[in-house]
Amino acid sequence: MFFSTIYIYLTPLFLHTFRRNSRFIFITIVYSKVMGEKVKVKKLFSIGVKLAIIIGVLVLVSLGTVTFLNSYFVSKDVRITAEENNLTINTRSASTVQRELTSIRSNVLQLLDLINAASGGRTSALAKQAEAFFFERNQSIAEIIVLTQNNSSSSFNVHTRLRNTRFYTSNEIDLEATETLLEQRKKDFARACLGETIAINVSPFYKSEMMALLLPYRESGLEQCCIILFSLEEVSGILGTGSTNETFMINDSDELLCHPDTERILSAQSMKNHPLVKLMRGKNQNNEESRQIIYTGTDENDNEVQFIGAYQKIAIADIGVFTSVQLNTVLEGVKTTRKNNLYLMGIVFFISIIFILIFSRYAISRHLRRLTAAAEEIQKGNFDTEIISMLNTKRRDEIGVLNASTKDEQEFLNTFARFTNRGVAKAIARKEIDFEPHLKDVTIFFSDIRGFTAISDGFKNRFGEESPREIIGFLNDYMSRMVNCVTISGGTIDKFEGDAIMAVWGILRDEDLSFELLPDSDPTKKEKILNHQKHVQEDAISAIRGTIAMRYALMQYNKDAEAFTKAHEKEPKAKYKPHIRIGCGINTGRATCGIMGSEDKMEYTAIGDSVNFASRTESSNKPCGTDILITEDTYNLLKKDFIRCEENHFMIPAENRQNEIVVEMIPVEFEVKGKGAQHFYGVVNMPQFDIEAFFKTADKDFVLDNDCARAVGKFGPKTLNEMRNLLGIPIPEFGEVNLNEEENKIQVKK
């Protein structure tokens, strides 16, 4: 009874959701048929639901009032405590920093006095020993420099220099950084010589958190400045880096000396515009008394928030120590308590329907999420998604029917993709295909098996009635290898015609030719023409790359076919696979591309003279003694950038050498129907083609056959005759070529 009630409540909601989403059309159809007219939306709000709502409202009002009052009074107490704590932290930090800086100043001055009083001066053994002991006990101090200002200029002479070499080495700091500091901060040194004690941020010079304390120093009546360079590591520890309260330190020029964010120190950030600093300066706070205020600032997301702030100056170098904490952070505990109370309210409110939630989560929602994910993957063209295999089809309810329907949909789409073209099917699923016919510049490929009629007759003579199965098995083995090359290189299989294959590169490219209608004065026209030409070149290169890969794949097939035939030669009806040769023709040109056919049978294809010319080019391989021919149009498209020829002085750009193509012009001019006098070019090789990397893009376990690798790449042929010898193609006598015009639609030009 319980689950029946849930079934009645939730079913209309699911059906309504599916009907609003076009991606679930096929799910909705099945679901609607199963449900029929039994769904009654008016039963959605039953007495039980209304009663649960009434009780829930009472619970929410009572607990909500308690929660509000508790949050108000606790927030007030926490805020007072936070203000006191922030002020305490600021006071303690300022006092501790003052003691630390006073200690550093006193220790350094004692060292200088000891060195000056030592017999023999700075170079005496006692002075050196004192210096060594000092840096051993004060490892955070990097260097002590006493400068004497020249009376006649603003320059300074180094009077005394004590360097903690271990500090520079352990922190990997360049010793030249100090020289840059001495050159750029002369104004500060002059102020110190006149009697001021100054603190400056030297972190940008040393790329490390460091500070300099400039002290007025008198020796032998000279106005001098004592520079103490030390690490901020101990000071940062004093200021409580990483705590909830943020404490930072500035000098008299509002320059940041120490801050939890190291990057701000290294960039020598000025705190002049910080709200707390502005408040302090506005109140002319010059004594050492702490001040506590509430101010408005911005957080890391530039949102205005309230802060609790405290500040205090210390007696050394007019240094200000500031401590602040976000009021929201302080009240985080209160908010957490309030949130927990709200959770409790939610638990109490939903306790009456907890079983429904559990049921919907594990019996409905999880499965619907999988259905949604499966539908999204199908929409992306991922027909083989593993999500569908996770669907439970054994359920004896509507979701089980939906799961089964989804699996049937997957099988249908995969079958549809095989009968049309997987690339086209995915493009249709992704809505990337414009069903209106368009003119496109594409590269068309045709291939054909030489002597297929004789091969077919051989199968019939040997296998009789079983010959169709054997022929289809042989063709499927051959074509799967060729199609793999087309797919990896980005081509689209257009159709199979017997043993012939037609493929197109660029047919799925989302591009139109409207830029050709732009006036020549349009500044974008030239750029669009260049981009278009680049795409067409890429398609042509990909087509040749895929076709060259077919040469390797064919050699591999012939090698496997020989092994297969040998393995079955002793059987009564010995199975075999024939040794074959193929011819491939490639042409680049403009074609009409689109969905063509009737309501009963349609296909996405390319038609036009450029397609016919590619077919005629393929049929010319036999008289030309080649396996791959490209047309003059394709050659002219690529010759400048990818083929070494007279037009480019046999040099191609360095960035194109990876795709270099070696071709030879067929030394016969052909008269091609509809095209006139034409030259064909035999493709010899792509010297930089990495055939192993090519096939591993689709199969990571691919193993290169070194014998077949002689067909392509750096071990491939260098001339057409080498290619002919490799593939066993006779070298033609072009003077005796006599073509059948009806079959080949070409003739030798007289």
Side-chain angles (χ1 to χ4, degrees), residues 637-661:
L637 175 70
L638 301 176
K639 66 180 181 180
K640 178 181 177 182
D641 298 317
F642 300 97
I643 301 173
R644 298 179 188 271
C645 57
E646 292 183 2
E647 287 86 339
N648 58 25
H649 305 291
F650 300 97
M651 296 290 292
I652 60 175
E655 64 270 17
N656 295 335
R657 289 175 186 167
Q658 189 67 25
N659 295 316
E660 178 185 355
I661 305 168

Side-chain angles (χ1 to χ4, degrees), residues 395-411:
R395 291 180 53 143
R396 302 180 62 84
D397 57 12
E398 290 75 17
I399 291 181
V401 174
L402 295 178
N403 290 340
S405 299
T406 305
K407 285 197 172 184
D408 292 341
E409 184 78 8
Q410 182 188 39
E411 293 177 4

